[in-house]
Amino acid sequence: DLDFAASLAQLLHSKGSGRELDDWHPKWRGDLASAVGGGQWPQARKVAVPTWRIDDANCQLCHRQPGTLEHRFSCSATSPEEGWPAAPATAANALSRLGSVRRR
């Protein structure tokens, strides 16, 4: 089993390349922290900021649908071939405490 939290902590606090991840560079720590924390704006949201002058609201990975939060869970470029696994039974308590927007 992979301890996800421990693996993330190792990457977020690393000062050099990880022992098992030769392609990792510490300068990406901020990007990883932002992505894990939900800090990445979807493309459709970025288009809504006029001063940024972005005119393509489509997903920048598949270019087939608007890049929305909902699309992130169904994008053909990032979805596993077999689909996303169901949450384990042990997560039911935590999931029941989340609002519908965070639960999706």
Side-chain angles (χ1 to χ4, degrees):
D1 285 341
L2 174 67
D3 184 344
F4 188 68
S7 297
L8 280 177
Q10 180 181 4
L11 292 173
L12 291 171
H13 301 295
S14 66
K15 292 188 177 27
S17 294
R19 287 176 283 155
E20 298 176 18
L21 300 170
D22 293 332
D23 294 333
W24 174 255
H25 195 283
K27 71 180 179 181
W28 300 324
R29 288 182 296 203
D31 298 334
L32 177 61
S34 178
V36 169
Q40 303 294 312
W41 281 16
Q43 190 69 11
R45 172 66 177 99
K46 290 164 66 174
V47 167
V49 180
T51 57
W52 290 356
R53 297 184 179 151
I54 298 171
D55 60 1
D56 184 2
N58 281 336
C59 171
Q60 298 298 291
L61 296 174
C62 74
H63 301 282
R64 293 185 202 143
Q65 295 181 3
T68 63
L69 287 175
E70 291 78 16
H71 175 69
R72 288 184 177 181
F73 296 100
S74 62
C75 179
S76 61
T78 58
S79 294
E81 286 183 27
E82 61 280 354
W84 295 105
T90 54
N93 185 30
L95 288 172
S96 71
R97 295 171 189 254
L98 293 175
S100 61
V101 172
R102 295 292 296 172
R103 199 174 328 143
R104 59 182 165 166

